[in-house]
Amino acid sequence: DDEFGDAGNAQHTIPKQASALRKGGFAMLKGHPCRILNMSTSKTGKHGHAKVNFTGVDVLTGKKYEDTQSSTHNMEVPLVVRTEYAVMSLDEEILCLLTESGEEKEDVSLPGDHALAVKIREGFED
């Protein structure tokens, strides 16, 4: 479970120079929190700065985004918190989860992604 809260909010991001970002990392592309799938750097232009071309996938929706940034400029990087839960029960579309600290979390619906929802159901039934 990757939680971003309001991912575009400055308190959930940190600045990082575009050239320091790496494939597999995270960056805000077109205002969306994305995992970087590919990046390439173009040659230095007539104004003296190389450009970095990013391709990434939104971690919340799966939609692909592309963005270009000067290699010396800062980009916003979302702060990612990964949390694992154990599924205790599944009632219709609502999951009852157990946190790492032993607390129950009962406000989570099955995801809208049908394939993922089926995978969760099958994993729970096994």
Side-chain angles (χ1 to χ4, degrees):
D1 181 18
D2 293 327
E3 296 184 11
F4 293 93
D6 179 11
N9 189 324
Q11 68 185 7
H12 296 291
T13 62
I14 57 170
K16 192 168 186 180
Q17 190 168 326
S19 61
L21 297 172
R22 297 289 174 253
K23 183 177 175 179
F26 297 95
M28 298 296 291
L29 303 181
K30 306 281 187 191
H32 300 272
C34 295
R35 179 178 298 274
I36 300 169
L37 299 176
N38 197 11
M39 57 184 287
S40 61
T41 305
S42 62
K43 294 181 181 179
T44 303
K46 63 182 177 181
H47 297 291
H49 296 287
K51 298 279 187 194
V52 182
N53 302 302
F54 295 95
T55 302
V57 62
D58 187 313
V59 297
L60 303 175
T61 65
K63 187 174 177 185
K64 192 181 256 188
Y65 289 94
E66 294 183 3
D67 204 352
T68 302
Q69 201 59 246
S70 174
S71 64
T72 58
H73 288 182
N74 281 342
M75 292 183 66
E76 293 298 314
V77 175
L79 299 174
V80 178
V81 177
R82 185 170 184 90
T83 306
E84 292 190 21
Y85 299 98
V87 179
M88 293 176 44
S89 66
L90 176 59
D91 182 26
E92 298 292 322
E93 300 295 312
I94 305 296
L95 295 164
C96 180
L97 307 173
L98 187 65
T99 67
E100 292 174 340
S101 64
E103 296 176 33
E104 289 186 19
K105 183 171 175 67
E106 298 179 346
D107 59 348
V108 180
S109 298
L110 276 174
D113 179 335
H114 179 71
L116 182 57
V118 167
K119 188 175 179 181
I120 291 170
R121 281 185 191 279
E122 289 173 351
F124 176 69
E125 292 169 358
D126 287 345

